[in-house]
Each structure stands twice: as C-alpha cells, then as structure tokens.
Amino acid sequence: MPLMDYILKRIHELESETGVKRTILAACPNSLSVIKAALSSAKRCNAPIKFAATLNQVDLDGGYTGLTQYEFVKTIRLLARKINLNSPVIIAVDHGGPWLKDIHFREKWPLEKTMAAVKKSFEAAIEAGYDLIHVDPTIDINIPRGECLPIQTIAERTVELIVHSEEFRRSKNINRISYEVGTEEVHGGLSDLEIFRQFLDLLKAGLKREKLGDVWPCFVVGKVGTDLHTTYFDPVVARQLTEIAKTYGSLIKGHYSDNVENPEAYPLSGMGAANIGPEFTEYEYDALMELEEVQDSLFTEGKIAKKSGMKKTLWHAVINSGRWKKWLQPGESRDDFNSISPERQEWLIKTGCRYIWELPEVIAGRAKLYENIEAEGIDAESIIQLTIERALERYFYKFNLVGLNSKL
C-alpha cells in the first residue's frame, strides 16, 4: 500500500475509534527555509508532513528552487536525517499537467510537446522516490478565455497520464504510489457537483478500460471556497463534495488554503488534506524585513559598516523576473509596475519572492544580511525558521495532527 494511502487508512480507523477527524497538511516547498521549517515543525508536533512541489518549483530543469526531482528528495532526506526526524514524509508532484509549467504556457507549446514533457517529469519523480502524483490536465491554451475544457477531455487526459505513470513504475519495479486528480476554482472544471460526479465516473471507467482497476486517486481536488484572493473555507460545500467523493473511495483535497480564516473547519468537514504555499513565502519575506530593521538600527549605531539592501534586492529581482505579471488583476498594468497600488505592489512582491530566492544576487544579499546580524550575536537563520514554523504549527494544531505519529 502506498504511504499516503496507508496514513489515510489509519486516520479513518482512528476516527472510528475516537471520533477525531484529521486533515493532512501539505506544504509547498517554495524555498529551502520552508523545507527546513516544515521538517522541524513535523518533528516538534510528532506528525506527518507532506510536500507538494509544482513542476515550476522542482523539475528536470531545476525549477525555481534549483532542484531536480532527485535532488529534491535527497535534500529532504538529508535534512530529515540531520534532525533525526522519524515522522512520515510524503513527497508529491503538485499540479502536474499540460501548460501548468510556466514556460509551456508562455511559449504556447503544442499539446503533444507539453504532455510529453509532463510524462518525463512524472518518470523522474517516480524514479526519485516520490509518493504521490497530482494529475491535473484541466487547462488548455486552445480553449477561449472564460470557457472550460470539456469534462470528457479532462478525464481522458487524466487517464492517459496515470496509465503512463503506472506503466513506467511497473517497468522499473518501483513501489506503488498514490494519485490525486482534479483542480480548484482557478482553472475551472470540477466546480459543479454533477460535473464532479461525471468526472469521477469517466475516470473510473477509463482506468478499468486500461486494466488499472486497482489504481484509484486517494485525493480529488475540490472547490471549497478558497482561491488566490479569498480566505474563507466553505464547510457546507466541502461536506457535499466529501460525501460524493467518499462513495468513490476518495477524499477531498483543498488548494489555496493560505491564510484561511477557519482552518479548524477542514477536519470537521471531512477534508483529507490541504495545500499551504504562498503564505510561507510571505512569512519568510516578513522575517527578512524584520531582520533588515534590526540591521538598520545596528548601522545607525555604527556597529556595522555596510547594509545588505535586502528589501531593494528582493523588489528589484521580483520586478525584473516578470513573474508578478502572472498574478495581475483586471485593470492592472503589465508594463508599469509603479502604476499599481502600493498595497498590491507589496502583495505581488511577497508572493513573487518564491520565484527568486535562488538568484545569485538574492543569495548574496541574504548572506550579507545574516553576516551583519550575526556579528551582534543574533541567530538570523533561526529567526527566519521560527517565523515559518509558527505559521506551519497553526495548521498542525488546527488539523488535529499533533501526536498522530504515535498512533500510526
């Protein structure tokens, strides 16, 4: 049994015994600091941790973290060993599908090319030791804006990607992995309850036709109220989707759960898991700005000779990357960042920092900031780590995961 499936099975058994519902926390590994913090928090909370890495973050080309699938798994394992972590660590692909990698979308790759690239990425993930793949072929650059890809096509492409993954896995005699399917509101698709049922029926029929009746996704991503710009989780809709998914043998997974107002409602609604990502980048940015304020005070006192200019470096790097354009709202200029409101500029920089943490100038700026702070006996990296850990532990507690390892 795949690791993720086993943990979910035990959670279900424990719920039957104790009545306690639990939701798995999936952290998006958008920086090395987040990876370290997630592992440390999992150890402190004695709980499993799941990493959900998009192909923009981790891929054969290194992604924006600079890590291939093999290097990503190796990094996690070495960091876990360093702190003697005994928690289960689930490593997963997040949003694996055509045109969901930015370069595929920007360069308008044809379907055959983008599907082939996604399949190669899945192969690398399986060989590296990933535990789960999120199959998400829910967008198509050839579909007019405002329209959704036909549900039959989504199901067909989902089956195609799962079939390829399973054939590759079995040919290499690699242990079984788990699957996640579907998407959230951002890309449309599975928002209507009837379409949701239709998709699962088509998926089941397709896998059976391909003689993969023993393969079924443990998670189906559902539209549960949260998206990039909303923070309220809708427990009523979540329960409806949960009841439907349960009849097929799956659990609902929530995406864009960052800064959610009511995280305690996730387990109460029967949610299987939730992804948290950009929120941790925001905390990392805020912690760096806090350190820069300390540095400025030290400079004023004459205790350091030269400031790092961390904030200026981050803003310059994000703006030059152009990645902020991906998250613009209607009416905001793609050509003039300064024309955007100050509040929105701050948000775009914060969320955009995840794309540029590994740039040489950013690494150098951070190193200089740490050097300035640590010269006065302040452990700069610990401040960054503890800030992110505090955000993570909110979810470990609200999702009823603390102490779970002892019961697995």
Side-chain angles (χ1 to χ4, degrees):
M1 182 179 291
L3 176 60
M4 188 74 263
D5 290 60
Y6 172 76
I7 292 173
L8 294 173
K9 175 176 175 288
R10 286 294 296 135
I11 286 174
H12 177 70
E13 292 169 348
L14 289 167
E15 181 186 342
S16 299
E17 296 168 10
T18 65
V20 177
K21 297 176 178 288
R22 294 176 171 89
T23 298
I24 291 294
L25 169 60
C28 298
N30 40 47
S31 75
L32 188 61
S33 295
V34 171
I35 296 173
K36 289 178 179 178
L39 293 171
S40 181
S41 291
K43 180 178 177 68
R44 187 179 299 111
C45 293
N46 192 27
I49 182 65
K50 179 174 181 284
F51 288 106
T54 69
L55 299 183
N56 283 320
Q57 290 167 334
V58 176
D59 202 0
L60 290 164
D61 61 0
Y64 63 71
T65 62
L67 298 172
T68 64
Q69 288 88 339
Y70 172 80
E71 292 164 344
F72 178 52
V73 172
K74 189 71 172 177
T75 296
I76 290 173
R77 288 176 177 167
L78 289 174
L79 289 172
R81 183 185 300 171
K82 187 175 181 180
I83 62 172
N84 193 32
L85 178 70
N86 294 313
S87 297
V89 178
I90 304 101
I91 303 176
V93 171
D94 188 33
H95 288 298
W99 299 292
L100 288 174
K101 188 175 171 72
D102 287 348
I103 190 172
H104 298 187
F105 188 87
R106 286 197 311 269
E107 296 182 357
K108 302 186 185 306
W109 288 19
L111 174 63
E112 185 177 344
K113 183 178 180 181
T114 186
M115 283 288 276
V118 170
K119 289 174 182 177
K120 285 295 182 184
S121 296
F122 285 2
E123 290 176 7
I126 292 167
E127 278 199 300
Y130 277 51
D131 303 287
L132 181 148
I133 291 177
H134 175 201
V135 180
D136 180 12
T138 50
I139 68 165
D140 192 314
I141 61 171
N142 301 303
I143 299 295
R145 182 181 293 273
E147 295 184 18
C148 293
L149 195 62
I151 202 67
Q152 294 82 359
T153 304
I154 294 175
E156 288 168 7
R157 292 178 184 174
T158 301
V159 170
E160 179 182 344
L161 289 170
I162 292 177
V163 167
H164 181 85
S165 300
E166 281 298 295
E167 288 178 347
F168 179 81
R169 180 188 67 78
R170 295 176 189 199
S171 73
K172 298 291 184 178
N173 198 30
I174 294 171
N175 290 338
R176 292 184 64 183
I177 62 172
S178 301
Y179 290 96
E180 174 181 336
V181 297
T183 191
E184 71 289 338
E185 184 179 4
V186 173
H187 299 311
L190 305 182
S191 56
D192 179 88
L193 294 181
E194 285 308 312
I195 292 178
F196 187 81
R197 289 190 181 92
Q198 185 184 1
F199 169 74
L200 293 176
D201 286 335
L202 289 167
L203 180 60
K204 179 164 283 190
L207 291 173
K208 184 177 180 181
R209 183 178 63 250
E210 298 291 339
K211 297 181 172 52
L212 289 178
D214 61 330
V215 176
W216 187 249
C218 60
F219 294 127
V220 182
V221 180
K223 174 187 171 183
V224 289
T226 56
D227 61 31
L228 191 63
H229 299 293
T230 59
T231 57
Y232 181 73
F233 167 76
D234 190 331
V236 175
V237 171
R239 289 190 192 98
Q240 289 177 316
L241 291 174
T242 295
E243 289 304 311
I244 295 172
K246 188 188 299 184
T247 63
Y248 291 87
S250 299
L251 293 167
I252 297 297
K253 175 92 168 292
H255 285 223
Y256 286 107
S257 301
D258 304 87
N259 300 301
V260 68
E261 299 169 33
N262 51 338
E264 66 284 347
Y266 277 71
L268 293 175
S269 304
M271 294 289 290
N275 281 9
I276 318 290
E279 175 180 345
F280 302 139
T281 296
E282 294 173 18
Y283 275 96
E284 186 167 356
Y285 174 89
D286 287 341
L288 285 167
M289 294 306 98
E290 178 184 339
L291 290 178
E292 185 155 63
E293 288 181 8
V294 174
Q295 175 195 242
D296 291 346
S297 296
L298 294 173
F299 181 80
T300 301
E301 295 168 12
K303 294 181 177 179
I304 57 176
K306 182 180 180 180
K307 296 191 288 185
S308 68
M310 191 76 236
K311 181 175 182 178
K312 183 179 179 181
T313 299
L314 291 177
W315 280 61
H316 188 264
V318 173
I319 293 169
N320 280 357
S321 74
R323 303 295 283 265
W324 54 275
K325 297 177 183 179
K326 184 178 179 180
W327 308 114
L328 288 176
Q329 293 181 340
E332 292 179 334
S333 173
R334 295 178 57 84
D335 303 313
D336 184 6
F337 185 82
N338 291 326
S339 70
I340 300 170
S341 71
E343 182 182 358
R344 283 283 296 153
Q345 284 187 29
E346 184 86 9
W347 186 89
L348 289 167
I349 295 296
K350 279 188 179 185
T351 197
C353 274
R354 64 186 188 268
Y355 300 115
I356 52 86
W357 288 134
E358 294 302 314
L359 292 181
E361 62 268 29
V362 175
I363 293 174
R366 187 189 289 245
K368 181 62 177 176
L369 177 63
Y370 283 15
E371 178 189 323
N372 287 341
I373 295 293
E374 289 168 357
E376 290 300 309
I378 301 170
D379 187 345
E381 186 170 4
S382 290
I383 290 173
I384 302 292
Q385 294 300 117
L386 290 170
T387 301
I388 302 171
E389 286 174 28
R390 186 169 66 247
L392 279 153
E393 288 174 19
R394 172 176 178 251
Y395 294 102
F396 276 118
Y397 277 91
K398 297 293 185 178
F399 289 172
N400 296 327
L401 295 172
V402 177
L404 176 57
N405 288 346
S406 302
K407 300 177 175 62
L408 291 176

